[in-house]
Amino acid sequence: YVDGTNKKRSKLSGLWMPDLNALEQRLEEHCKLVEETGMGIMCKAQTPAFTAMCAMGYTDFLLNSVMDTDFVYDMINKIHDYCMKELEVFLQYPVEVVSLSSGLVTNAAPLVAPEALEDLETKYIREEIELAKSYGQKIYFHIDGKIEDMIPDFVAMGVDILNPIDPCAGNQDIYTIKEKYGDQITIAGNIDIEGVLKYGSPEDVAEDVLRHIEKLSPGGGYIVSSSHNLHHFVPIENFYAMRDAVMNYQSPKQQIQ
């Protein structure tokens, strides 16, 4: 973790934003690369509260959300203006999915009260989702931690795919989530980076992946992926075991054929 550096209001006027012209150039290049490949592009759009928290540093952001609220919201609003312009650029290109992120939930609960979360983050994400939906885009939402009780709100906001369904040390069960919400939202993730991917053998990983597929695939709506970003404690052979288990999987119908 690298701490943020924008900790004082004096830094706000010089807050650097990435060049949108450079973004357009990268999009042009990526669109050409995927032509006639059968592959698509998922664009990772920034969200203002999460970006502000990284720019300020997690601890300072949370402290200032109570002790210097105006500073926090001034930074969030400045970044939000940029985020909306950035998203507009993405939406001018043939992207398949828009990805948005939140970083305000732990393995136990949100870091802030629900009513504070609405003002601090959710209303801005909702605005981004509304813009993307106006272009007919699917929304892939990455939010860590224990989020089961928040899923009805995500569905109402227009989220299509929810990631990464963290096991939360046994406090969150993806199979229960699938049973309750599987007809309303696609779920992605849950192959545990702090469990089987970190400590298991490649055979253990393959077995876990197959278990997920067999229990979560009926009716559709499950994407295999890890429970968070892969880190250097995950053996590379376990990553390949996860990938190969998916690529080699055959459904009962395929086996009959």
Side-chain angles (χ1 to χ4, degrees), residues 46-53 76-77 79-80 83 124-125 128:
Q46 297 182 75
T47 52
F50 195 14
T51 303
M53 185 161 63
I76 287 174
N77 284 313
I79 293 172
H80 180 58
C83 288
Y124 299 102
I125 293 177
E128 289 188 71

Side-chain angles (χ1 to χ4, degrees), residues 73-129:
Y73 280 103
D74 286 347
M75 179 177 283
I76 287 174
N77 284 313
K78 185 169 185 175
I79 293 172
H80 180 58
D81 289 342
Y82 173 83
C83 288
M84 295 300 288
K85 293 174 183 176
E86 177 194 59
L87 184 54
E88 285 274 13
V89 172
F90 279 127
L91 294 171
Q92 302 308 311
Y93 289 83
V95 299
E96 304 293 332
V97 182
V98 172
S99 172
L100 303 171
S101 298
S102 167
L104 290 172
V105 182
T106 72
N107 283 356
L111 288 165
V112 296
E115 59 273 14
L117 191 62
E118 169 66 27
D119 289 336
L120 197 63
E121 178 176 62
T122 308
K123 67 180 182 181
Y124 299 102
I125 293 177
R126 188 179 293 110
E127 189 173 342
E128 289 188 71
I129 289 175

